[in-house]
Amino acid sequence: MESTLRSRQVRLLIAAALMCSLMLGVAFVVVHRVYDLRGIAAAAPPLSDEQARRQVIEPGRQFIDAGSLQVDTATYVLMSCSGEDLPPYRGRAYLTFEVPSVTQTRAVFADLARAMSAQGWRVGTRPGRHPEGWTLVRNGVIAAYYRHSDLPDRGVLQIDGECRNMNDHQQDTGGFVDISDVLQR
């Protein structure tokens, strides 16, 4: 057994296995540094507070126009992507809107997805816990809409911007801000 482990072929095989492990480890560290918590957007320039806000306001207008949505409420918040109220931050808009009966909702939501796809949005996976909902993505912005779980005659549209606002907002006292008037053209 000892002579088998000392043979030239076995030593080369062990060296190759160790070298592969080393290369895979280095590749993992490099990829992890590039795609850290902020995602690939880390390589993109940071967004100002106003740019982060516009990144979700304009899509909100597009959804309202494309679906002829009758919006009840619309709010905006700048939220941390880290979950610890640290940078980076993203803009997030929440809109509630009227939806038809349950039997018509799927067709209305599918029509909205088609209209937004014509404007360059790509259909993504369904939003969690909302099998009738849709998720659409464009230029790093994610929009998910679905029937409100507590109000059957309302839908929810949530728009998330990119995690590229690096300003420090830990001391901000503001929360959700009404943007209903901003969404009207």
Side-chain angles (χ1 to χ4, degrees), residues 174-185:
F176 287 92
V177 177
D178 187 336
I179 56 170
S180 301
D181 58 330
V182 177
L183 290 174
Q184 305 305 319
R185 291 191 189 255

Side-chain angles (χ1 to χ4, degrees), residues 116-177:
M116 295 308 290
S117 293
Q119 295 183 39
W121 290 80
R122 292 185 332 268
V123 175
T125 59
R126 301 252 185 229
R129 299 183 316 271
H130 301 286
E132 80 288 350
W134 290 78
T135 300
L136 301 171
V137 180
R138 186 177 76 180
N139 299 330
V141 176
I142 302 169
Y145 59 94
Y146 47 89
R147 182 175 282 283
H148 197 294
S149 53
D150 294 329
L151 303 170
D153 61 338
R154 298 288 180 260
V156 175
L157 170 61
Q158 176 183 316
I159 304 170
D160 287 323
E162 296 174 278
C163 288
R164 290 181 29 211
N165 182 312
M166 299 306 290
N167 296 327
D168 187 358
H169 290 279
Q170 293 181 70
Q171 304 303 319
D172 288 3
T173 57
F176 287 92
V177 177

Side-chain angles (χ1 to χ4, degrees), residues 35-52:
Y35 295 94
D36 65 358
L37 287 175
R38 295 172 287 174
I40 192 64
L47 296 175
S48 69
D49 292 352
E50 183 56 33
Q51 289 169 320

Side-chain angles (χ1 to χ4, degrees), residues 87-134:
Y89 295 88
R90 75 170 74 215
R92 175 175 280 178
Y94 287 102
L95 290 76
T96 60
F97 57 94
E98 293 178 19
V99 292
S101 69
V102 174
T103 58
Q104 297 172 325
T105 301
R106 283 186 187 243
V108 169
F109 283 2
D111 289 344
L112 181 55
R114 277 190 289 282
M116 295 308 290
S117 293
Q119 295 183 39
W121 290 80
R122 292 185 332 268
V123 175
T125 59
R126 301 252 185 229
R129 299 183 316 271
H130 301 286
E132 80 288 350
W134 290 78

